[in-house]
Amino acid sequence: MMDGFDMLLVASAVIAGAAPLVMATLGETLTERAGVVNLSLDGTIVLSAMAAFVVASLSGSLLAGFAVSAAVGACVAALVALFSVRLGMSQVAVGFVLTLMTRDLAYFLGSQYARTEGPISGSAPVPVLSGMPVLGQVLFNHSVPVYLSMIMVAFAWWYLYRTSWGLRLRCVGENMEAAYARGIDPDLVRVVYTVAGGALVGLSGAAFSLCTKPGWGQPQGCEGSGWIALALVIFGAWHPVRAALGAYLFAFLQVMSIHFQSWFPDVPAQVFQVAPFPLMIFLLAVSTLVHSEEAKMLAERHPLLRILTRGLAQAPPLSLGKARSRD
Amino acid sequence: MRTVFARMGRPLEMGLKTALAGVAEIAASVLVVVAFTTLVLLVAGAPPLDTFAVLVKGSLGSWSKLSHVIKVWIPLTLASCGLLFTFKAGLWNIGVEGQVMMGAVATTLAMRMGGPSPLAGMVTALALVAGMAGGALWALCAGFLKTKAGVHEIFAGLGLNFVSQGLVLWLIFGPWKQPGIASMSGTETFDERLWIPSIEALNLSPAALGMAVAAVIVTAYLLSSTRLGLYLRAVGGNEKAAVLFGLKPHAVMTAAMLCAGGLAGLAGAFQVSGVYHRLIPAISSGYGYLALLVVLLAYYNVWAAPVVAFFFACLNTGAIQLPMLLSLDSSLSGVIQGSMVIAALAVHSVSTRSRRSRG
Amino acid sequence: MTIALRSIHKHYGDIRANDGIDLVLRPSTVHGILGENGAGKSTLMKILSGYVRKTSGTILVDSEEVDFKNPAEAASHGIGMLYQDPLDFPPLTVLENFMAGQRMKAWPDRSLFRKRLAGLCREMGFDLDPETPVVRLTVGERQQLELARHLAAGRRVLILDEPTTGISSLQKDVLFSALRRLSSGGATVVLVSHKLEDVETLCDEVTVLKKGRVSGSAVRPFSTGALLEMMFGREPAPPLRKGHEPGAQALFLEGVHAHGGRTGLAQCTVKVNRGEVVGLAGLEGSGQDVFLRVAAGLTRPTRGRVHVSRKDMTGRDHHAFKTMGVAFQPAARLEEGLIAGLSVAEHCAILERSSFSLDLDASASLAQERIQSFQVAARPESPVESLSGGNQQRLLLSFLPDDPVLLLLENPTRGLDRESVRWVWERLDAIASNGAAIVFSSSEIDEILMVSDRVLVFFEGRIIHDVRPEDTDALMLGKAIAGRV
Ligand SMILES: Nc1ncnc2c1ncn2[C@@H]1O[C@H](COP(=O)(O)OP(=O)(O)O)[C@@H](O)[C@H]1O
Ligand SMILES: [Mg+2]
């Protein structure tokens, strides 16, 4: 019953499968750390996946595909920034409408290219390192976007916690007025990181259509992953490394659901396909329950629990979702 | 656009000036949308004028097309009315999509259990009630996730949407599969006696239309002239203060979710009993998500919602012809609807800003 | 560096927060800006620090005209301000707060900043741990951090807006001696306060503001009477306290522990009787907020029991407390007390809880009654967010139940002018005379001494003192608040 299950293969598949999700999650973490919720992720990913696929197949250049997808993601995010930061409209409303609209736009513009052949970013083992016993297969035997996603995690952490720009970004996310009093332009910072985060989200679309779930069609396989990325940012408590770990966890659930399907042939496939989504929500519930009064009371009595809840409890950036009032 | 509708409730205050400003806002938004859509069409290599003509003729060109529009309008309006309850309470009920599906599932279940008995009318009526209950129950799940487990309603609702889509597929391919072979075309069609009676020539059900109109009126009454509406607005306005005023925000939110889920479930019930006469994978037709756009564009106004819903229904219906006549994808309607909402919200916020800075 | 302000105006709609102010600030002096709440002090200082843009007027820095568009431009002229509500980043660490806004490399060397902070702390007599998140700091420590940051950035003009509110007298001593040292080193220090004693202790020169205008100025030595005259136009009214006969037990907290706020609440055992007015003194967030919320059933105690009118209410929710005659009023009026978007009449309609269908006309006439008897400047159909702070406070008071058993009021007079404070307390006094227990918190020791029958002093989440006002005075309370019993 357990045949065909190879730990190394699973680990490698998780690393590869999580790549686009990691990119989108990091992008949204940056954006939310600056205090803006870009709810349009799900549509943005589909639209940029389409753009990347079409451009890459027409031009034959993968690089062009990735570049265009980043530009598309940045453009949608710029709309979010314009409407919510500059015009003070509800971030949730704008983001939600853009989600639906960009998805429809993707299907409308991309319908002629559905199910056509397109280029794929193939495996590119790292010389020397890929020969290592265990890690070689798990970490160093992937395509370029997958390496990129791994590097991005470390880079995002370094940028956020070790550079002066990262400090400024976090300042704006925690208290816009205080940032303004210190000579930082909160609106500018918010716009910049909304757009930059959007570009990362766009890249994740390309990573889907040119690498992880290659091709373009309706419905696109990456639909729904934008929402997962949004949930992962919360699950990761707005910390890039924890959010990325969440993305790997989700990819693991997806890989396992394929295995479970072969182990339990009696259970219909549909159950396994949707299972990771409610599981993710369940994990969200657990991580929010940790904040609750009851949990704190329990922790009061059990010192071990106290350490655990301290580790998990992390409040969102204080200015998240708020608009700055001007006089 | 929203100022005009927002002020309809207080006609005495509506001066000529604000009316003109409202008209100007609508005109500006429409202009933006037309320009944007034309651009999109040019990018796709489609003839803009012909496309717009297809959209108009495809929805208002004949009585049968208009009756199709109304068939879309009914569930859309029902779901929009439901969303008004949750929006007033400050909740983003994205789970409405799943609530429509679960209404459809519950109705199908009731009809399968009832069967084509001599009391078919009774079964149909009960099936509609079951649909409402199904939607309400599903909304309750999202409500509990929010109030008891602290999961934001957007994520709770989305998770449940995925679950209900999985459930619908599973039912169609599993326990409720057609005799012989399961297929994407859905379950077996019900006995004709279980269908909601409709006017043969127009293929339109007066009962369904009546119920949708009634839903609008009841919603308007509940929201504006009863304690329920006041409590919803109080909790939506300030949850903490509402507690000090003696309200129980979680109970009020749950009530809002029940109302929303019930109306969304009814929308799903009509999809099953009045439109498709069976359960199909895409039974909700995305009307839940679309209803969210309707309410945003209507600026949470009860009377504006059915008008916007009609406009959106026209777009949806007109777009059906696009693949055949111009080999364009029908998702164009979604592009127009989305840009309409964005444009209207943006134009309104620009104009209020400039008015405030001038005043 | 000499700064001259000429004819500064700042208008918010009809409100003239500053209405033609002239002022000269000289180096090597501590300049006091005195005036009661709402006089326009903060507004004027925010204009000088570039945080708020003036409506009209000129600012001269060393006789050169400047027009600050944002705080960065004022900072580049060496002007820095410590705002009345601390403007910092609570979740970030002390070191990160210290670094934010300072000139630094793209990837800064943290140890450099750590050293600089440690050096400044040593010099000023501050004690700050660089890795602590700022949420865990007291108001006084946050202030010290801000001051150190401004000094590190080389500011020559330092504006402190009400720095003595919410800090201990020990911290106040440390602060004042630091300010003296700075001013003797050539810096211009501006101390904004509505407290006479602060200005008298520290300042060399004083300008008094009243209703957005300069009502007078003085140099050391000051005449207290003259300054009071400039602030209020006449001598302040005598104290109000009448003293009440305590009745039956209203509230009994028995060994209560609870979470929340900055410090939580620990080991709290208190009885309050009907007819008593009990003032909660202490630095902001020393447990008073948690105490009031536990007594209102809004926060559940982790240990201990809560009794209302001798009935055990432990673990019940606010609604159960409400039916026992308990009413709570939070400090943040629009954030926690009123519902933005609803009109005055609609607020009344919620309280009525009669039939399912609404009778808005009846609610409107009821609202009219309340508005009249509480002198609220509003109409029944006005949305509450359009009311001014004072009127929102009056409106909240009008919503209190007719004959409560226990009123729990958090900073009920914050931000009100003296007339309104008096008016509020006359009302509350009448309610207490009718047999209600009133428990309130305030950051003004004078107010507490003026109106309470009993004072509870909070320190770090514990009640460390339970005294009658006649057995204590402002100085002793000030010490107790700082934990020096
Ligand atoms: N942002 C604002 N909007 C409207 N009114 C304001 C604003 N800031 C201050 N005011 C008003 O200006 C007056 C002076 O306020 P302020 O300068 O804070 O006084 P002070 O600091 O002397 O207590 C008050 O009446 C206050 O209500
Ligand atoms: Mg002030």
Side-chain angles (χ1 to χ4, degrees), chain A residues 327, chain C residues 12 15-18 35-44 84 161-162 192:
Chain A
D327 55 89
Chain C
Y12 290 109
I15 301 171
R16 299 182 161 221
N18 286 173
E36 63 172 327
N37 279 327
K41 309 178 294 291
S42 296
T43 305
L44 183 67
Q84 188 166 0
D161 195 354
E162 308 271 10
V192 178

PDB file of all heavy atoms in Angstrom, chain A residues 327, chain C residues 12 15-18 35-44 84 161-162 192, ligand 1:
ATOM      1  N   ASP A 327      -5.338  66.568   6.797  1.00  0.00           N
ATOM      2  CA  ASP A 327      -6.212  67.738   6.930  1.00  0.00           C
ATOM      3  C   ASP A 327      -5.841  68.793   5.913  1.00  0.00           C
ATOM      4  O   ASP A 327      -4.966  68.597   5.088  1.00  0.00           O
ATOM      5  CB  ASP A 327      -6.137  68.323   8.344  1.00  0.00           C
ATOM      6  CG  ASP A 327      -4.727  68.649   8.767  1.00  0.00           C
ATOM      7  OD1 ASP A 327      -4.291  69.783   8.491  1.00  0.00           O
ATOM      8  OD2 ASP A 327      -4.064  67.774   9.359  1.00  0.00           O
TER       9      ASP A 327
ATOM     10  N   TYR C  12      -9.274  75.069  12.030  1.00  0.00           N
ATOM     11  CA  TYR C  12      -9.907  73.802  11.649  1.00  0.00           C
ATOM     12  C   TYR C  12     -11.375  74.106  11.429  1.00  0.00           C
ATOM     13  O   TYR C  12     -12.135  74.184  12.389  1.00  0.00           O
ATOM     14  CB  TYR C  12      -9.773  72.766  12.765  1.00  0.00           C
ATOM     15  CG  TYR C  12      -8.371  72.261  12.982  1.00  0.00           C
ATOM     16  CD1 TYR C  12      -7.650  72.610  14.111  1.00  0.00           C
ATOM     17  CD2 TYR C  12      -7.785  71.402  12.060  1.00  0.00           C
ATOM     18  CE1 TYR C  12      -6.373  72.132  14.315  1.00  0.00           C
ATOM     19  CE2 TYR C  12      -6.504  70.920  12.264  1.00  0.00           C
ATOM     20  CZ  TYR C  12      -5.807  71.289  13.387  1.00  0.00           C
ATOM     21  OH  TYR C  12      -4.542  70.797  13.585  1.00  0.00           O
ATOM     22  N   ILE C  15     -13.196  76.233  13.973  1.00  0.00           N
ATOM     23  CA  ILE C  15     -12.373  76.325  15.192  1.00  0.00           C
ATOM     24  C   ILE C  15     -11.076  77.051  14.884  1.00  0.00           C
ATOM     25  O   ILE C  15     -10.369  76.688  13.941  1.00  0.00           O
ATOM     26  CB  ILE C  15     -12.049  74.921  15.732  1.00  0.00           C
ATOM     27  CG1 ILE C  15     -13.344  74.173  16.041  1.00  0.00           C
ATOM     28  CG2 ILE C  15     -11.179  75.008  16.980  1.00  0.00           C
ATOM     29  CD1 ILE C  15     -13.125  72.721  16.367  1.00  0.00           C
ATOM     30  N   ARG C  16     -10.768  78.082  15.685  1.00  0.00           N
ATOM     31  CA  ARG C  16      -9.485  78.754  15.526  1.00  0.00           C
ATOM     32  C   ARG C  16      -8.563  78.240  16.625  1.00  0.00           C
ATOM     33  O   ARG C  16      -8.525  78.780  17.718  1.00  0.00           O
ATOM     34  CB  ARG C  16      -9.671  80.257  15.638  1.00  0.00           C
ATOM     35  CG  ARG C  16     -10.591  80.750  14.544  1.00  0.00           C
ATOM     36  CD  ARG C  16     -10.776  82.234  14.563  1.00  0.00           C
ATOM     37  NE  ARG C  16     -11.276  82.612  13.247  1.00  0.00           N
ATOM     38  CZ  ARG C  16     -10.863  83.688  12.584  1.00  0.00           C
ATOM     39  NH1 ARG C  16      -9.965  84.482  13.111  1.00  0.00           N
ATOM     40  NH2 ARG C  16     -11.361  83.949  11.401  1.00  0.00           N
ATOM     41  N   ALA C  17      -7.831  77.181  16.310  1.00  0.00           N
ATOM     42  CA  ALA C  17      -6.956  76.580  17.312  1.00  0.00           C
ATOM     43  C   ALA C  17      -5.849  77.564  17.672  1.00  0.00           C
ATOM     44  O   ALA C  17      -5.492  77.701  18.838  1.00  0.00           O
ATOM     45  CB  ALA C  17      -6.373  75.281  16.785  1.00  0.00           C
ATOM     46  N   ASN C  18      -5.293  78.245  16.676  1.00  0.00           N
ATOM     47  CA  ASN C  18      -4.343  79.343  16.899  1.00  0.00           C
ATOM     48  C   ASN C  18      -4.881  80.565  16.186  1.00  0.00           C
ATOM     49  O   ASN C  18      -5.251  80.497  15.019  1.00  0.00           O
ATOM     50  CB  ASN C  18      -2.961  78.996  16.333  1.00  0.00           C
ATOM     51  CG  ASN C  18      -2.230  77.970  17.188  1.00  0.00           C
ATOM     52  OD1 ASN C  18      -1.175  77.488  16.812  1.00  0.00           O
ATOM     53  ND2 ASN C  18      -2.820  77.612  18.324  1.00  0.00           N
ATOM     54  N   GLY C  35      -1.060  76.895  29.506  1.00  0.00           N
ATOM     55  CA  GLY C  35      -2.427  77.162  29.075  1.00  0.00           C
ATOM     56  C   GLY C  35      -3.277  75.959  29.394  1.00  0.00           C
ATOM     57  O   GLY C  35      -2.764  74.838  29.463  1.00  0.00           O
ATOM     58  N   GLU C  36      -4.589  76.164  29.587  1.00  0.00           N
ATOM     59  CA  GLU C  36      -5.411  75.021  29.948  1.00  0.00           C
ATOM     60  C   GLU C  36      -5.712  74.181  28.707  1.00  0.00           C
ATOM     61  O   GLU C  36      -5.344  74.557  27.588  1.00  0.00           O
ATOM     62  CB  GLU C  36      -6.689  75.473  30.648  1.00  0.00           C
ATOM     63  CG  GLU C  36      -7.607  76.312  29.792  1.00  0.00           C
ATOM     64  CD  GLU C  36      -8.928  76.540  30.513  1.00  0.00           C
ATOM     65  OE1 GLU C  36      -9.355  75.645  31.255  1.00  0.00           O
ATOM     66  OE2 GLU C  36      -9.508  77.615  30.346  1.00  0.00           O
ATOM     67  N   ASN C  37      -6.354  73.030  28.936  1.00  0.00           N
ATOM     68  CA  ASN C  37      -6.654  72.130  27.828  1.00  0.00           C
ATOM     69  C   ASN C  37      -7.437  72.848  26.744  1.00  0.00           C
ATOM     70  O   ASN C  37      -8.389  73.560  27.029  1.00  0.00           O
ATOM     71  CB  ASN C  37      -7.467  70.927  28.314  1.00  0.00           C
ATOM     72  CG  ASN C  37      -6.583  69.883  28.945  1.00  0.00           C
ATOM     73  OD1 ASN C  37      -5.440  69.710  28.526  1.00  0.00           O
ATOM     74  ND2 ASN C  37      -7.102  69.216  29.955  1.00  0.00           N
ATOM     75  N   GLY C  38      -7.032  72.676  25.497  1.00  0.00           N
ATOM     76  CA  GLY C  38      -7.752  73.290  24.387  1.00  0.00           C
ATOM     77  C   GLY C  38      -7.295  74.705  24.089  1.00  0.00           C
ATOM     78  O   GLY C  38      -7.867  75.359  23.217  1.00  0.00           O
ATOM     79  N   ALA C  39      -6.247  75.190  24.766  1.00  0.00           N
ATOM     80  CA  ALA C  39      -5.797  76.559  24.539  1.00  0.00           C
ATOM     81  C   ALA C  39      -5.100  76.707  23.183  1.00  0.00           C
ATOM     82  O   ALA C  39      -4.978  77.812  22.662  1.00  0.00           O
ATOM     83  CB  ALA C  39      -4.865  76.990  25.653  1.00  0.00           C
ATOM     84  N   GLY C  40      -4.609  75.620  22.633  1.00  0.00           N
ATOM     85  CA  GLY C  40      -3.952  75.688  21.326  1.00  0.00           C
ATOM     86  C   GLY C  40      -2.460  75.465  21.395  1.00  0.00           C
ATOM     87  O   GLY C  40      -1.744  75.702  20.420  1.00  0.00           O
ATOM     88  N   LYS C  41      -1.970  74.964  22.530  1.00  0.00           N
ATOM     89  CA  LYS C  41      -0.529  74.776  22.707  1.00  0.00           C
ATOM     90  C   LYS C  41       0.011  73.721  21.744  1.00  0.00           C
ATOM     91  O   LYS C  41       0.990  73.959  21.029  1.00  0.00           O
ATOM     92  CB  LYS C  41      -0.233  74.329  24.148  1.00  0.00           C
ATOM     93  CG  LYS C  41      -0.866  75.207  25.216  1.00  0.00           C
ATOM     94  CD  LYS C  41      -0.572  74.689  26.605  1.00  0.00           C
ATOM     95  CE  LYS C  41      -1.192  73.346  26.941  1.00  0.00           C
ATOM     96  NZ  LYS C  41      -2.638  73.304  27.085  1.00  0.00           N
ATOM     97  N   SER C  42      -0.637  72.549  21.736  1.00  0.00           N
ATOM     98  CA  SER C  42      -0.134  71.461  20.894  1.00  0.00           C
ATOM     99  C   SER C  42      -0.140  71.862  19.428  1.00  0.00           C
ATOM    100  O   SER C  42       0.794  71.573  18.688  1.00  0.00           O
ATOM    101  CB  SER C  42      -0.993  70.217  21.077  1.00  0.00           C
ATOM    102  OG  SER C  42      -0.894  69.763  22.396  1.00  0.00           O
ATOM    103  N   THR C  43      -1.205  72.547  19.021  1.00  0.00           N
ATOM    104  CA  THR C  43      -1.311  72.948  17.627  1.00  0.00           C
ATOM    105  C   THR C  43      -0.138  73.849  17.238  1.00  0.00           C
ATOM    106  O   THR C  43       0.516  73.642  16.213  1.00  0.00           O
ATOM    107  CB  THR C  43      -2.640  73.693  17.402  1.00  0.00           C
ATOM    108  OG1 THR C  43      -3.696  72.855  17.858  1.00  0.00           O
ATOM    109  CG2 THR C  43      -2.833  74.027  15.947  1.00  0.00           C
ATOM    110  N   LEU C  44       0.158  74.822  18.082  1.00  0.00           N
ATOM    111  CA  LEU C  44       1.247  75.755  17.792  1.00  0.00           C
ATOM    112  C   LEU C  44       2.574  75.014  17.672  1.00  0.00           C
ATOM    113  O   LEU C  44       3.366  75.257  16.761  1.00  0.00           O
ATOM    114  CB  LEU C  44       1.325  76.800  18.920  1.00  0.00           C
ATOM    115  CG  LEU C  44       2.372  77.887  18.732  1.00  0.00           C
ATOM    116  CD1 LEU C  44       2.001  78.775  17.556  1.00  0.00           C
ATOM    117  CD2 LEU C  44       2.523  78.721  19.997  1.00  0.00           C
ATOM    118  N   GLN C  84       2.570  64.851  22.405  1.00  0.00           N
ATOM    119  CA  GLN C  84       1.767  64.592  23.601  1.00  0.00           C
ATOM    120  C   GLN C  84       1.413  63.112  23.692  1.00  0.00           C
ATOM    121  O   GLN C  84       1.581  62.489  24.726  1.00  0.00           O
ATOM    122  CB  GLN C  84       0.503  65.457  23.534  1.00  0.00           C
ATOM    123  CG  GLN C  84      -0.320  65.439  24.798  1.00  0.00           C
ATOM    124  CD  GLN C  84      -1.350  66.549  24.802  1.00  0.00           C
ATOM    125  OE1 GLN C  84      -1.469  67.348  23.864  1.00  0.00           O
ATOM    126  NE2 GLN C  84      -2.106  66.624  25.871  1.00  0.00           N
ATOM    127  N   ASP C 161       5.821  68.220  24.578  1.00  0.00           N
ATOM    128  CA  ASP C 161       4.409  68.536  24.758  1.00  0.00           C
ATOM    129  C   ASP C 161       3.845  67.720  25.923  1.00  0.00           C
ATOM    130  O   ASP C 161       3.735  66.503  25.829  1.00  0.00           O
ATOM    131  CB  ASP C 161       3.642  68.219  23.460  1.00  0.00           C
ATOM    132  CG  ASP C 161       2.268  68.863  23.464  1.00  0.00           C
ATOM    133  OD1 ASP C 161       1.891  69.431  24.502  1.00  0.00           O
ATOM    134  OD2 ASP C 161       1.583  68.795  22.420  1.00  0.00           O
ATOM    135  N   GLU C 162       3.521  68.384  27.005  1.00  0.00           N
ATOM    136  CA  GLU C 162       2.972  67.756  28.212  1.00  0.00           C
ATOM    137  C   GLU C 162       3.784  66.525  28.631  1.00  0.00           C
ATOM    138  O   GLU C 162       3.240  65.434  28.775  1.00  0.00           O
ATOM    139  CB  GLU C 162       1.514  67.316  27.969  1.00  0.00           C
ATOM    140  CG  GLU C 162       0.607  68.394  27.427  1.00  0.00           C
ATOM    141  CD  GLU C 162      -0.055  69.217  28.527  1.00  0.00           C
ATOM    142  OE1 GLU C 162       0.338  69.082  29.705  1.00  0.00           O
ATOM    143  OE2 GLU C 162      -0.936  70.022  28.189  1.00  0.00           O
ATOM    144  N   VAL C 192       5.856  72.400  27.114  1.00  0.00           N
ATOM    145  CA  VAL C 192       4.429  72.709  27.012  1.00  0.00           C
ATOM    146  C   VAL C 192       3.715  72.014  28.153  1.00  0.00           C
ATOM    147  O   VAL C 192       3.954  70.832  28.397  1.00  0.00           O
ATOM    148  CB  VAL C 192       3.864  72.199  25.674  1.00  0.00           C
ATOM    149  CG1 VAL C 192       2.376  72.482  25.590  1.00  0.00           C
ATOM    150  CG2 VAL C 192       4.609  72.813  24.520  1.00  0.00           C
TER     151      VAL C 192
HETATM  152  N1  LIG D   1      -7.027  67.972  13.931  1.00  0.00           N
HETATM  153  C1  LIG D   1      -7.932  68.807  14.518  1.00  0.00           C
HETATM  154  N2  LIG D   1      -9.148  68.956  13.955  1.00  0.00           N
HETATM  155  C2  LIG D   1     -10.056  69.777  14.515  1.00  0.00           C
HETATM  156  N3  LIG D   1      -9.862  70.477  15.629  1.00  0.00           N
HETATM  157  C3  LIG D   1      -8.672  70.368  16.244  1.00  0.00           C
HETATM  158  C4  LIG D   1      -7.660  69.513  15.722  1.00  0.00           C
HETATM  159  N4  LIG D   1      -6.587  69.595  16.534  1.00  0.00           N
HETATM  160  C5  LIG D   1      -6.921  70.458  17.522  1.00  0.00           C
HETATM  161  N5  LIG D   1      -8.183  70.932  17.351  1.00  0.00           N
HETATM  162  C6  LIG D   1      -8.863  71.877  18.200  1.00  0.00           C
HETATM  163  O1  LIG D   1      -8.037  72.987  18.405  1.00  0.00           O
HETATM  164  C7  LIG D   1      -8.118  73.450  19.742  1.00  0.00           C
HETATM  165  C8  LIG D   1      -6.752  73.496  20.353  1.00  0.00           C
HETATM  166  O2  LIG D   1      -6.267  72.181  20.508  1.00  0.00           O
HETATM  167  P1  LIG D   1      -4.820  71.870  21.103  1.00  0.00           P
HETATM  168  O3  LIG D   1      -3.806  72.626  20.348  1.00  0.00           O
HETATM  169  O4  LIG D   1      -4.675  70.395  21.124  1.00  0.00           O
HETATM  170  O5  LIG D   1      -4.929  72.409  22.594  1.00  0.00           O
HETATM  171  P2  LIG D   1      -3.964  72.148  23.833  1.00  0.00           P
HETATM  172  O6  LIG D   1      -2.785  71.386  23.369  1.00  0.00           O
HETATM  173  O7  LIG D   1      -3.639  73.494  24.314  1.00  0.00           O
HETATM  174  O8  LIG D   1      -4.775  71.389  24.819  1.00  0.00           O
HETATM  175  C9  LIG D   1      -9.064  72.508  20.466  1.00  0.00           C
HETATM  176  O9  LIG D   1     -10.327  73.131  20.518  1.00  0.00           O
HETATM  177  C10 LIG D   1      -9.108  71.307  19.581  1.00  0.00           C
HETATM  178  O10 LIG D   1     -10.372  70.686  19.661  1.00  0.00           O
END
